[in-house]
Amino acid sequence: MALNTRDIIVFDFETGSRNPLKTQPTQIAAVVIHGKSLKLKEGGMFNSEMKPILDDEEAVAAGLDPIEDEALDITRKTRKALAKAPTPKYVWRKFGKFCAMHNWKGTSWFNPIAAGYNINHFDLPIAERMCQMYGPVDKKSGRQDIFHKIYKIDLMDTVYMWMESNPSVHSISMDSMRDMLGMSKENAHDALQDVKDTANILIKFMKLHRELSPKVKFEKAFANKNDLYI
């Protein structure tokens, strides 16, 4: 069975600090890409702010980072607005149902594939923590059961592979990629805008891969010892 039978969920957190192990999410957004057509699925968009613990001492007592003013400035959020947002538990469970809607077979192995920009070191650890707190978790492994167990797409890794030998590229931050690709930064660092931009870049690369892949001979590429590099 082809791998592209699974949907791809591009997701992003906005947070109140930088440590993924202790930061408090203030927003989560996602878009769902059909694995085969690479088009946005009907009903495939999610966006919600989350109410963090705004009292610094209370946050520290809960083992979390206090909300930083610098982070609020970057994401253009206010404490007053966040105080009115739904709770993390409510939002995460709603997000879990949203993800489950895009698991056409209803088993862990057909959970949608997580995708995003720098998700391996930031967003996925937060998602794991949220699943541990609010579910769902896999009964056997005790790990998150919202995304696919194995497959994930970190667009930052893809960008690095394509740009690592380009002398004109000095940064692969999302903002740098927006500049290079001619994308607007008007609403950058809003989770919904970030996932839309990430999805557009991801689709562009996946279409490029699909165009080039059939032209490359992978079968028995190292059958000849002279073809080995080491």
Side-chain angles (χ1 to χ4, degrees):
M1 182 179 292
L3 299 180
N4 63 12
T5 57
R6 298 166 179 84
D7 289 331
I8 300 167
I9 293 188
V10 182
F11 79 108
D12 179 61
F13 286 106
E14 298 300 342
T15 62
S17 61
R18 297 182 181 181
N19 182 352
L21 301 180
K22 291 187 175 183
T23 193
Q24 298 190 69
T26 57
Q27 183 187 7
I28 182 172
V31 294
V32 184
I33 300 171
H34 189 279
K36 191 170 184 178
S37 69
L38 298 182
K39 294 180 179 179
L40 179 68
K41 287 192 67 179
E42 184 177 353
M45 194 172 294
F46 184 94
N47 182 35
S48 179
E49 291 189 332
M50 295 186 190
K51 180 181 179 180
I53 300 174
L54 295 168
D55 182 89
D56 290 357
E57 292 184 0
E58 186 179 347
V60 172
L64 301 170
D65 286 341
I67 298 297
E68 300 174 359
D69 290 334
E70 181 183 1
L72 294 179
D73 290 341
I74 292 173
T75 60
R76 299 178 298 280
K77 300 187 186 303
T78 66
R79 295 174 186 271
K80 183 177 180 180
L82 289 174
K84 299 177 182 179
T87 65
K89 181 178 181 179
Y90 174 83
V91 174
W92 190 252
R93 290 191 171 176
K94 189 175 180 181
F95 181 66
K97 292 178 180 178
F98 169 81
C99 292
M101 287 170 51
H102 302 284
N103 178 337
W104 64 271
K105 204 165 184 178
T107 70
S108 293
W109 291 106
F110 282 83
N111 278 337
I113 296 171
Y117 208 88
N118 193 32
I119 59 169
N120 287 339
H121 300 291
F122 194 76
D123 301 273
L124 280 175
I126 298 173
E128 179 68 47
R129 180 157 56 92
M130 298 293 281
C131 281
Q132 293 299 326
M133 294 172 66
Y134 309 121
V137 294
D138 181 79
K139 293 180 180 179
K140 292 183 178 180
S141 68
R143 302 293 301 277
Q144 65 85 18
D145 195 26
I146 199 168
F147 297 120
H148 195 276
K149 296 179 180 181
I150 298 174
Y151 306 135
K152 52 187 175 295
I153 305 171
D154 193 324
L155 183 58
M156 179 178 275
D157 292 341
T158 302
V159 168
Y160 178 80
M161 289 298 294
W162 282 90
M163 305 294 177
E164 52 89 20
S165 63
N166 187 331
S168 66
V169 176
H170 303 291
S171 170
I172 58 171
S173 70
M174 188 62 186
D175 281 343
S176 295
M177 287 303 101
R178 285 186 175 105
D179 289 337
M180 181 181 185
L181 298 172
M183 303 175 81
S184 171
K185 292 193 293 186
E186 183 177 354
N187 294 314
H189 306 295
D190 172 79
L192 184 57
Q193 186 62 53
D194 287 352
V195 294
K196 288 179 179 179
D197 290 348
T198 300
N200 277 310
I201 300 171
L202 176 61
I203 290 170
K204 192 78 168 178
F205 272 112
M206 291 189 73
K207 286 187 174 183
L208 177 62
H209 292 168
R210 290 182 182 185
E211 180 182 348
L212 295 178
S213 181
K215 302 175 183 178
V216 179
K217 184 179 179 181
F218 293 102
E219 292 78 8
K220 298 183 180 180
F222 292 108
N224 187 329
K225 291 184 178 180
N226 293 327
D227 293 330
L228 299 173
Y229 300 112
I230 297 175

